[in-house]
Amino acid sequence: MLSRLKSLNSLQFTFILALYYVCVFNIPFFNVVKHGIDKQADVNMLFIATVPFFLVFALSFVFSLFTLKYLTKPFFILLTLISANVFFAEFQYGAVFDYGMIENLVQTNQSEASTYLNWVSILSFIVTGVLPAFLIYKVNIRYKPFAKEVLSKALFMLAMLAGILLIAAFYYENYLAFGRNNSLIKRSIIPTYFIGSTAKFINLNYLQTPLEYQQLGLDASNTSSKLEQKDKPNLVVMVVGETARAMNYAYYGYQQPTNSHTQEQDLLVFNNTTSCGTATAVSLPCMFSRMDRQDYDERRAKAQDNVIDVLSHAGIQLQWLDNDSGCKGVCNNIKHLLIDNTHKSKWCNGESCYDQVLVDELDHQLADISAKDTVIVLHILGSHGPTYYQRYPVEHRFFTPDCQRSDIQNCTKSELLNTYNNTILYTDYIISQVVNRLKRESNKFDTAMLYMSDHGESLGESGLYLHGAPYALAPKEQTHIPFLAWFSPEFALQNNLDLTCLKKQAAAGGFSHDNLFDSLLGLMNITSEVYQAKADIFARCRR
């Protein structure tokens, strides 16, 4: 028996490999199928019994296209190693490897990627990826003479196709209906879906001709000087959050004191705010772009100005300070600084930095900026997982016991919530520090602060962890975000803002990332043909 396994003909190899992929790598797929069965009142179990056979036949057919001499081993070794990582992410975190996830992976830096490494992920990779890849390397695959090999392969593929058609002949309508009611099914098949998503990403980003760049708002004009009695320039600090979900904010009714640091600072709390995407690579450029979520297109966004550029056209002094994985192109045309993880600071450990490092850098910027209208963006690391415990210093470890590990699925629910809540509380501390610094600048500037997260996070609800779910299927944990604001009394007075009106508007809520473009322009008193007053949150309360 062992000698037979050491030597297989190409068809045997193809079929056994397809079986392995179905029985191991597609466990997440069968979990999705089970979920579909559980929520459906009447299911034909004979139809369900055909699903693994259908998948084996389909993968065998596809794999046959690549079982070619000199190609088979390197191709399937690489595919198996990649599939092992995809399997772990899908099985443990419920991740879906669509276009957005591939984009997010490509833009992830080494430090961020290392946070996903733990003994569970490494062991899974060795058992499901490295060992099978080693067996593929060692097995002797026999090929017939060319003509006979082509004929036998063709007959094998016809047999697989016949099996698919036979199942379809009896259960086509069942597959169609079940697929429509469970749209996550096709997204869970390994390796076909992540390969298709990767091919789409490569095509759109590297093979298609880049669009001609379009500048927007070249007519932008700063009208602050026309405001009566205004004798100081505006200074707005926008804090862009990372992975913060609204449901864990005390401001939104959460029962834990996650906003105790800003409680006395009279922040405006905007209810029911939604994100443009479920991952930074999508949400960050989308929230600053002229496009709304419904019509957002990554290629077009890269080929046109965003609101930061329009502010620059209007002569606003700009700075982007980043402690996350970069600005995803948003800040390319202005002065920007990406914090080096090896930064010589007590806030950095060589792998990541606590967000206090941005507050310290803000101090340096405030000491040097000119007395003119200014916007400074702080892109914080916030609540980025799965190593939530690395996002706050020990002195900010308020909720205990917390989850001091990256394999968060192995923590208890209370431990996971505690460590995530600590990140929210620490972000609240950072916001309070920013507001305090803005108060100190009130002799030189009229000051304001905005805070808005890029997307939310799943913490085990419905078996999902982290973020990046397809937006159409994403739970509210990943799309409902915190949106906070603070205005000094002088800023409100000198910019004709009615704070009482804004508090009512914030309580009513119903905003999204779509509002940011026009709200930033309006807040800085910018006029332009690209400005749309109806989307400006603050225009509705301007005296």
Side-chain angles (χ1 to χ4, degrees), residues 12-40:
Q12 290 172 328
F13 172 82
T14 301
F15 193 76
I16 291 173
L17 189 66
L19 277 175
Y20 176 74
Y21 271 69
V22 171
C23 295
V24 178
F25 288 153
N26 278 284
I27 291 174
F29 165 81
F30 290 110
N31 285 337
V32 174
V33 172
K34 181 182 181 300
H35 180 69
I37 295 171
D38 292 341
K39 71 179 184 180
Q40 191 168 323

Side-chain angles (χ1 to χ4, degrees), residues 273-290:
T273 303
T274 56
S275 66
C276 187
T278 62
T280 307
V282 176
S283 280
L284 193 62
C286 180
M287 67 193 290
F288 286 93
S289 79
R290 172 66 282 175

Side-chain angles (χ1 to χ4, degrees), residues 6 47 63 72 103 283 296 396 427 439 469 531-532 534:
K6 288 182 179 179
F47 147 65
F63 286 177
T72 303
E103 180 182 36
S283 280
Y296 178 73
H396 288 270
T427 293
K439 288 179 178 179
Y531 169 72
Q532 298 175 6
K534 65 180 181 180

Side-chain angles (χ1 to χ4, degrees), residues 406-417:
S406 62
D407 53 328
I408 54 177
Q409 70 280 2
N410 291 319
C411 293
T412 66
K413 183 178 180 180
S414 61
E415 288 172 341
L416 182 54
L417 280 173

Side-chain angles (χ1 to χ4, degrees), residues 5-7 73 77 132-141:
L5 289 177
K6 288 182 179 179
S7 180
K73 287 191 176 184
I77 286 173
F134 178 74
L135 292 176
I136 293 173
Y137 172 74
K138 294 295 291 183
V139 70
N140 176 37
I141 304 175

Side-chain angles (χ1 to χ4, degrees), residues 238-289:
M238 175 161 191
V239 182
V240 178
E242 169 66 62
T243 321
R245 66 186 199 179
M247 63 186 295
N248 284 63
Y249 271 61
Y251 285 131
Y252 297 107
Y254 190 57
Q255 295 303 305
Q256 298 292 337
T258 52
N259 297 116
S260 56
H261 295 291
T262 59
Q263 204 67 51
E264 303 302 319
Q265 292 182 327
D266 199 23
L267 301 188
L268 291 174
V269 180
F270 292 84
N271 288 318
N272 194 27
T273 303
T274 56
S275 66
C276 187
T278 62
T280 307
V282 176
S283 280
L284 193 62
C286 180
M287 67 193 290
F288 286 93
S289 79

